[in-house]
Amino acid sequence: MSSKERELQLAQFAKEIQHVFREYRVGVKADSFALVSTDGGAPQNTFRVCLLEDVWLTIHLNASVDRAFEIQILKAEADPKPASASMTKAALYEVRPHIQAPFESMDGLLNSVSAEYRARFQERLCHKLEKVA
């Protein structure tokens, strides 16, 4: 891959990660999104986010052969000062089987690993449906 192609790929990753940050901020701890940077400080296609259950995920965004993005959890760790130790422990238990598993979307990832995300999503959906009815 040429340096120009790599620059273009990094720009696509940055755009997709910004989209993820905007779209899914309601399903994670406020202000918890952070890009993981290389030794030189340049952003790469990996970021960290804290689930509502106080579990920090290191997530890798990868372009597949068909140019679609694939999302993968690289690591999960408990927040050092969780609001509820039992909730965090349960969430870690739920996350661990999904480490290194590919996801097609951030929604799919969060639905698979976060009971709080699922509850908030259902609550928001019910609220919207009540407005329509």
Side-chain angles (χ1 to χ4, degrees):
M1 178 181 294
S2 72
S3 63
K4 184 71 173 171
E5 289 173 325
R6 181 70 181 145
E7 276 183 43
L8 192 58
Q9 187 179 40
L10 286 173
Q12 289 173 324
F13 284 135
K15 185 177 180 180
E16 183 65 18
I17 288 171
Q18 286 174 349
H19 167 74
V20 167
F21 290 178
R22 281 190 312 277
E23 191 72 23
Y24 296 99
R25 66 178 173 244
V26 71
V28 296
K29 290 274 187 161
D31 301 319
S32 71
F33 279 106
L35 287 173
V36 175
S37 54
T38 62
D39 293 334
Q44 56 183 163
N45 51 337
T46 302
F47 60 95
R48 286 177 46 95
V49 65
C50 189
L51 298 176
L52 298 167
E53 296 92 342
D54 291 317
V55 173
W56 282 93
L57 301 179
T58 301
I59 297 173
H60 180 72
L61 184 64
N62 194 16
S64 65
V65 176
D66 63 359
R67 305 295 265 170
F69 288 104
E70 180 181 275
I71 300 170
Q72 196 174 43
I73 301 170
L74 299 180
K75 183 168 65 170
E77 53 196 344
D79 191 279
K81 296 180 182 178
S84 168
S86 61
M87 184 187 295
T88 300
K89 186 177 179 180
L92 271 172
Y93 183 78
E94 194 170 353
V95 169
R96 287 202 171 110
H98 299 286
I99 292 176
Q100 300 294 326
F103 290 91
E104 292 180 3
S105 69
M106 189 68 177
D107 182 62
L109 184 150
L110 290 172
N111 264 313
S112 295
V113 302
S114 175
E116 287 293 312
Y117 175 79
R118 290 188 298 272
R120 281 192 181 186
F121 180 83
Q122 185 176 7
E123 188 178 293
R124 290 177 69 207
L125 182 59
C126 287
H127 181 69
K128 287 180 181 180
L129 289 173
E130 285 172 0
K131 282 185 175 180
V132 173

